[in-house]
Amino acid sequence: MAFLIASSPHSHSCKSTCDIMMIVILCTLPGIITLYYFFGCGVLLQVAIASLTAVLAEATIIALRRRPIIHYLQDNSALLAGLLIGIAVPPFAPWWIAVIGTLFAIAIAKHLYGGLGQNPFNPAMVAYVVLLISFPVQMTTWLPPFFLLSTPLSIMDSMSTIFTGFSTDGFSVNQLLLTVDGITMTTPLDTVKTAIITGRPISDAVQESIFGGFVGLGWGWVNVAFLLGGLILLKQKIISWHIPIAMLVTLLTFSVVGYAVSPDTVASSLIHLFSGATMVGAFFIATDPVSASTTTTGRLIFGAMIGMLIYLIRTFGGFPDGVAFAVLIANMCVPLIDYYTKPITYGYKKESK
């Protein structure tokens, strides 16, 4: 028998990479089901397209690298990456959007760096940013909640719109965006960003029907569902509390202070916490064990940096959400964070600089 030498710690978990990835996938289901409830079958179709593309791309690249295909596919990392890209893509975006983003995530953001465990950036967020910058119109065309649409949509309508650009009745995506009131409705964060850019008081913007008197019709419940999944991950000890709590507390702190100073130009804390990709970013994106900080103190700094960047991008930047950009910027800082927060070896004193 070979004597295996590895770095500490030596207490091993009974969960394999395959098990961990599958638990994370299962914990996304409350959020995906809620997205489906409010935004229709397009959500499930985009998840299916991205997931299938991810698995096929992973198998192809593994074959080109002359590695055992089944062995590497069984870790479920490609499936999870495809799933996260699928929920980030608008439900009625063209099918090739999810395909291009997923191919970029698997081939460039993951395998170009050596595969699982080697990528410095979160593959799903790399794909999202590439798509957002390259195809801004398609990536910002989110429909209003399903029950507000002027044209009822079946699963065949969703499939036809995704693959041809028109529903079975011949309606384009722009026509489908119309609500029962005959107006085009954007997402809550888009509405807030437009108000900031145009100088309109946010207190007036949040009175629009998309907010529903809270943080946005559908989006508040979507974030609650992903929060529930994240709490299950914490309960199962799949992730630690440091990154999500540091991120959410920092975002809360900045938004409270900003709203207290200038309520007409800064969104409330509830909007920041329960709109957009806040909760999925906190529990499913920022906690990626490969691209996140590995030390305890470093995780707190890493999470706090993401929360601060999200607030700054949403308030002063050019994009409504900013979770993906914040995560990628923080990923770049991980080597530096880990270097200055590495724990002292037991039995040694801290060296003076």
Side-chain angles (χ1 to χ4, degrees):
M1 293 180 61
F3 181 70
L4 301 178
I5 300 177
S7 61
S8 59
H10 300 291
S11 59
H12 301 288
S13 170
C14 295
K15 296 183 177 68
S16 64
T17 301
C18 171
D19 295 333
I20 292 174
M21 295 293 178
M22 184 53 64
I23 292 174
V24 175
I25 290 172
L26 293 176
C27 287
T28 63
L29 292 182
I32 293 175
I33 293 172
T34 309
L35 279 169
Y36 162 72
Y37 177 79
F38 285 102
F39 298 102
C41 299
V43 173
L44 303 182
L45 292 172
Q46 296 291 357
V47 169
I49 292 171
S51 299
L52 178 61
T53 303
V55 172
L56 293 177
E58 181 91 346
T60 302
I61 295 174
I62 293 296
L64 293 174
R65 296 179 63 185
R66 299 181 180 180
R67 304 287 181 85
I69 297 176
I70 301 300
H71 172 75
Y72 282 91
L73 285 181
Q74 286 178 341
D75 64 23
N76 292 321
S77 61
L79 183 62
L80 177 59
L83 185 147
L84 293 175
I85 294 170
I87 62 179
V89 172
F92 284 170
W95 63 271
W96 47 266
I97 289 288
V99 170
I100 291 175
T102 307
L103 289 175
F104 194 93
I106 300 299
I108 305 299
K110 181 180 179 182
H111 282 285
L112 187 63
Y113 291 96
L116 181 64
Q118 306 297 321
N119 49 286
F121 302 101
N122 185 288
M125 292 300 93
V126 171
Y128 179 80
V129 168
V130 167
L131 292 174
L132 186 61
I133 294 175
S134 303
F135 311 104
V137 175
Q138 290 83 356
M139 286 298 293
T140 54
T141 310
W142 278 87
L143 270 68
F146 205 55
F147 52 84
L148 293 180
L149 293 176
S150 60
T151 305
L153 297 174
S154 64
I155 186 171
M156 294 304 298
D157 288 317
S158 300
M159 293 181 62
S160 178
T161 304
I162 290 172
F163 287 100
T164 69
F166 296 91
S167 68
T168 54
D169 294 326
F171 293 105
S172 67
V173 175
N174 289 332
Q175 291 172 315
L176 294 175
L177 287 173
L178 296 176
T179 65
V180 290
D181 296 326
I183 61 174
T184 300
M185 190 175 292
T186 58
T187 65
L189 289 179
D190 284 321
T191 303
V192 169
K193 174 57 65 177
T194 301
I196 293 174
I197 293 175
T198 59
R200 179 187 178 192
I202 292 182
S203 57
D204 291 343
V206 296
Q207 300 302 317
E208 295 186 11
S209 56
I210 184 61
F211 286 92
F214 184 46
V215 296
L217 288 174
W219 289 104
W221 289 110
V222 167
N223 276 272
V224 169
F226 279 115
L227 172 60
L228 174 62
L231 294 177
I232 296 174
L233 289 179
L234 289 174
K235 177 67 174 179
Q236 294 294 319
K237 296 184 179 179
I238 301 300
I239 62 175
S240 65
W241 61 268
H242 304 81
I243 293 176
I245 295 301
M247 171 183 156
L248 295 176
V249 169
T250 303
L251 180 59
L252 174 64
T253 302
F254 272 80
S255 58
V256 166
V257 174
Y259 189 76
V261 173
S262 181
D264 288 336
T265 59
V266 175
S268 68
S269 299
L270 285 177
I271 293 176
H272 277 292
L273 292 176
F274 291 97
S275 285
T278 300
M279 292 301 171
V280 68
F283 292 97
F284 295 92
I285 301 295
T287 54
D288 175 23
V290 178
S291 57
S293 180
T294 56
T295 66
T296 301
T297 304
R299 288 171 180 170
L300 293 172
I301 296 172
F302 179 78
M305 178 182 293
I306 294 175
M308 178 188 68
L309 289 172
I310 290 173
Y311 173 80
L312 294 177
I313 293 172
R314 287 178 176 179
T315 306
F316 306 105
F319 293 93
D321 200 333
V323 170
F325 291 96
V327 169
L328 293 182
I329 293 172
N331 287 160
M332 288 190 289
C333 300
V334 164
L336 189 65
I337 294 173
D338 283 349
Y339 177 79
Y340 284 104
T341 59
K342 60 184 178 182
I344 303 170
T345 305
Y346 182 76
Y348 288 81
K349 295 182 179 180
K350 184 176 181 180
E351 296 181 0
S352 58
K353 300 295 183 180

